[in-house]
Amino acid sequence: MAKATSDSKKILAGLDDVQSMVKVYSTCTAHKLTHLFGTDVINTPAPDLPSNYFLWNSDMTKGFSEMTNSFLQSAIGSEPLPPHAELITSMSIKAGGLGLQHPRTCAVTQFMLTTKRCLQYCQDGVWLGYNKHRPALPHTITSLYNTWKTTQTRTMVNFRTYAEDFASICCGSADLVDQFVFDASLNKCRETMREHAAKMTREVTLERTAPDYVAPKLNQMLLQETSMALMTMPRLEPKNRIKNVTFCTAMKRKLRLIVIKDHHLFRCKCGAKVDPWGDHCLGCPANHKGYLSNAARDGICDIFKRILPVTKMIHSGTQMEKEVGNIVPSLPTLKPFDLSIRLNHLLTQGAWQIPFGRIGFDVVFIHSDKPAPIDPSLEAAFFSESDLRLREGERKKFARRTGGTNNVTSKTLSADEVIGEINDANYSFIPIAIGPHGEIGSVFKRFWDGSDPLPLPSFSKDRPEAKRAAE
């Protein structure tokens, strides 16, 4: 631990890019100690083993927590990490955590899988690769493991303590211990246990102990997408490198740490007090979100230029256009889309066959934490408050606030008539609603990954074109 702590301090002293610091710490410092986690379990008497494998506690656990907390505190310039933030750092990236290895959740799993591999090798020989001969171990070694079901050696007693739990999680039944030990894929078991540990950490510990300022935000905080952006983004491409101030702010939002120090000394332009986590700053309509909107637009446009030609939706990245005019025939100078896809219907037969001439997108950041309007269909029982607020943001984009007047022809269109001309031009309109923790609205998610959208919101009778566009 002393060597690892020293290495973490060298990372802080040797690098000036915070994203690189965290990545190096995750990959090199934290990860290279995992082989010691199992040793910690072996040296613990069976009566002292915790009933929950994902809540390992020992001197190593405490030392590891101190090292990680000290590192992150120095790297992102935060206060000491509270308990909820410690838990999130050790949860898997798929579960919305930071994926930093920690003996709390990994020690028992590391011990169990290492012992499982030894038992497999004794029975089946040493695995050297696919389609390669597995050399058998000598009898002097295999005989040590033949009585693993009955021997009272500490290693096997501890292994049997958790064997049924691991068999239940990895193989579906506590009765399938032999299948877990000898047949189950080691890598699949490792991945399954990692995600199960994250799930149980959230359900058993985090959701029960989270303070009031954290609990209502957990679903938004634990988004896999934001975890991947912070922890897995390849940095060889310069534009993937996040500026220090942006990365530190995003990490603090992820872990629900104080973003604005001395917040009690400040007031928003609307007159309200500023909270320490930045919620009001992101939620207040008085704060212009143009910079955020443009950054989201540009990022999505760059992604589309790379992905859509591969999926054969477009032939070239030049078909991605930002804020073009001549979308609304009666108001040619109006630019209702932040970005749009100009579709080409002369592509080869293998390309997408889409009936629209253009797909337009408009970015909207959700401004308020106030409860969203709920249709009289018990929607609150099926959808989260965040999802409903995102849908309300999408509804407001369909039912735009303003129309416009053509300065040449003096023709005036109402807001709904603008949407009507977009519909009549055979253009599809997709709002990109983004929440304060990076949540994405269901309409754009349906385009992005095919997931089912929420039911349509209600539109007033004077907004028939808005409803038509949403449908």
Side-chain angles (χ1 to χ4, degrees), residues 18-23 25-26 68-69 71-79 81-82 84-86 88-90 93 96-100 221 226-232 242-259 277 437:
V18 181
Q19 188 182 11
S20 297
M21 292 178 189
V22 176
K23 185 65 176 179
Y25 178 82
S26 172
T68 298
N69 292 359
F71 174 83
L72 289 177
Q73 184 180 345
S74 299
I76 66 176
S78 73
E79 78 275 18
L81 268 61
H84 75 268
E86 288 187 27
I88 293 173
T89 61
S90 63
I93 290 174
L98 297 186
L100 299 181
M221 292 164 58
T226 55
S227 296
M228 293 182 68
L230 290 170
M231 301 301 296
T232 68
I242 305 175
K243 295 180 180 179
N244 282 351
V245 63
T246 303
F247 183 82
C248 291
T249 301
M251 287 283 282
K252 291 174 183 177
R253 292 281 296 171
K254 181 73 171 177
L255 300 175
R256 197 68 170 159
L257 304 175
I258 292 176
V259 176
W277 308 287
H437 288 271

Side-chain angles (χ1 to χ4, degrees), residues 231-428:
M231 301 301 296
T232 68
M233 185 73 74
R235 304 192 67 259
L236 292 178
E237 185 70 35
K239 63 183 178 182
N240 289 342
R241 300 171 188 171
I242 305 175
K243 295 180 180 179
N244 282 351
V245 63
T246 303
F247 183 82
C248 291
T249 301
M251 287 283 282
K252 291 174 183 177
R253 292 281 296 171
K254 181 73 171 177
L255 300 175
R256 197 68 170 159
L257 304 175
I258 292 176
V259 176
I260 305 173
K261 296 179 180 179
D262 299 324
H263 60 95
H264 58 282
L265 302 178
F266 301 96
R267 283 188 177 271
C268 177
K269 63 175 69 174
C270 73
K273 293 182 179 180
V274 175
D275 64 275
W277 308 287
D279 293 341
H280 180 81
C281 294
L282 290 171
C284 180
N287 290 324
H288 184 57
K289 310 297 191 301
Y291 179 83
L292 289 175
S293 178
N294 291 342
R297 175 203 64 195
D298 294 344
I300 293 171
C301 189
D302 288 342
I303 293 171
F304 279 177
K305 285 181 178 179
R306 296 176 58 188
I307 292 179
L308 297 188
V310 176
T311 62
K312 297 185 179 181
M313 178 175 280
I314 60 177
H315 176 70
S316 167
T318 58
Q319 291 175 247
M320 288 301 309
E321 299 174 332
K322 292 189 286 189
E323 299 193 5
V324 296
N326 293 312
I327 299 297
V328 181
S330 298
L331 303 175
T333 61
L334 186 65
K335 300 175 181 178
F337 300 149
D338 284 330
L339 67 153
S340 60
I341 305 171
R342 177 170 43 82
L343 298 170
N344 180 1
H345 294 283
L346 298 179
L347 292 174
T348 62
Q349 190 172 358
W352 287 39
Q353 302 299 313
I354 302 175
F356 303 108
R358 183 183 294 269
I359 302 176
F361 304 87
D362 201 18
V363 177
V364 55
F365 279 84
I366 305 304
H367 290 297
S368 175
D369 278 338
K370 295 179 181 179
I374 299 175
D375 287 342
S377 57
L378 299 178
E379 287 183 334
F382 300 99
F383 306 111
S384 69
E385 177 62 32
S386 173
D387 288 337
L388 294 175
R389 285 194 290 110
L390 288 165
R391 188 185 66 172
E392 176 63 9
E394 294 167 342
R395 186 196 67 80
K396 289 181 178 180
K397 275 298 179 182
F398 285 122
R400 57 180 291 136
R401 292 179 298 171
T402 60
T405 300
N406 189 320
N407 294 329
V408 176
T409 65
S410 298
K411 183 176 181 179
T412 298
L413 296 182
S414 68
D416 202 54
E417 287 173 336
V418 170
I419 297 296
E421 290 210 4
I422 293 175
N423 292 335
D424 293 339
N426 199 31
Y427 296 158
S428 177

